[in-house]
Amino acid sequence: MDKAQIIAHSKTYMELLSQGVDPISKQSIADDSVLAQPRLKKCFAFVSEILAELLENNGFVALTPDAAEKYTIVEKKAAFSLSDEQIRNIYVSSKPVTVNMLLKCINRVVDVKRMDKLSVTSVNSWLVSNGYLIETKERAFINKTVRRPSDKSIEIGLREQEVVDAATGEVKYQMVFTQQAQRYILNHLDEIVKSTSGEKTARNKYGY
């Protein structure tokens, strides 16, 4: 028997003893037996509860209320994945949208408690690796990496538009996805996810 089976077996013994039953013979314990003492019965019942908690919480027993609140079993989320039907139900805007707006529509159909979201980094990295975006360094932002559409981006409907900062009046550039570009991303979600999972595997392999 493994440990879980042994604990479950022991719990049954403690539970029977707390009820005044011999766990071996399944006969009632005589009233004059030391095992029939009320204090021992309470002890058997308590041990039975502890063993039940061990089984329910994967080997963890909270010794204080605070410990019980802090302890949570974190289940590993599934990798991002959508069915063809889910993809068909994703809203595609007739107007150009930012990558954040596009991802919001995509992740809206994801059960975030059970599955990872698709990240902006995943989409941008895939666009860069396929030549639709170009990474450049801009000194105005202390050598911040900026991604801008390449000449090839016209093929999929990805473009750049000027926006005015409401606070400063400064004119900035913003990458947007036309309806064509939105559909292009949806049609290539599998490729985007696979390329991202490959990068994660490589990073984990070398400890980065």
Side-chain angles (χ1 to χ4, degrees), residues 60-107:
F60 174 83
V61 175
L63 299 181
T64 64
D66 289 343
E69 291 177 2
K70 292 178 181 178
Y71 178 77
T72 55
I73 298 176
V74 179
E75 296 183 3
K76 185 178 180 180
K77 292 184 178 182
F80 175 86
S81 176
L82 296 181
S83 65
D84 291 339
E85 182 179 359
Q86 287 176 309
I87 293 175
R88 285 194 295 270
N89 290 330
I90 293 174
Y91 173 74
V92 176
S93 173
S94 58
K95 297 181 179 180
V97 298
T98 64
V99 66
N100 287 321
M101 294 169 66
L102 174 58
L103 267 293
K104 185 176 181 180
C105 292
I106 293 175
N107 289 322

Side-chain angles (χ1 to χ4, degrees), residues 4-152:
Q5 291 175 316
I6 294 173
I7 292 173
H9 199 62
S10 301
K11 174 186 172 298
T12 300
Y13 273 31
M14 292 296 102
E15 191 173 357
L16 289 171
L17 286 169
S18 71
Q19 297 169 0
V21 177
D22 184 335
I24 305 300
S25 66
K26 301 298 188 294
Q27 300 294 318
S28 295
I29 297 173
D31 291 339
D32 60 351
S33 171
V34 66
L35 297 177
Q37 291 185 17
R39 291 176 65 181
L40 280 180
K41 283 187 176 181
K42 288 182 180 180
C43 181
F44 295 143
F46 175 74
V47 173
S48 177
E49 291 177 3
I50 293 297
L51 294 177
E53 192 172 347
L54 278 174
L55 291 172
E56 292 173 2
N57 296 330
N58 196 29
F60 174 83
V61 175
L63 299 181
T64 64
D66 289 343
E69 291 177 2
K70 292 178 181 178
Y71 178 77
T72 55
I73 298 176
V74 179
E75 296 183 3
K76 185 178 180 180
K77 292 184 178 182
F80 175 86
S81 176
L82 296 181
S83 65
D84 291 339
E85 182 179 359
Q86 287 176 309
I87 293 175
R88 285 194 295 270
N89 290 330
I90 293 174
Y91 173 74
V92 176
S93 173
S94 58
K95 297 181 179 180
V97 298
T98 64
V99 66
N100 287 321
M101 294 169 66
L102 174 58
L103 267 293
K104 185 176 181 180
C105 292
I106 293 175
N107 289 322
R108 190 173 292 159
V109 302
V110 173
D111 182 354
V112 294
K113 292 182 179 180
R114 300 177 182 274
M115 182 180 293
D116 290 329
K117 292 181 178 181
L118 181 63
S119 68
V120 171
T121 301
S122 298
V123 174
N124 284 341
S125 296
W126 184 81
L127 288 170
V128 169
S129 64
N130 284 274
Y132 297 115
L133 290 182
I134 298 174
E135 291 185 335
T136 60
K137 295 285 187 179
E138 294 196 3
R139 293 182 180 179
F141 296 98
I142 315 178
N143 287 328
K144 176 182 177 181
T145 299
V146 177
R147 297 180 181 87
R148 309 193 75 163
S150 66
D151 293 338
K152 186 180 176 181

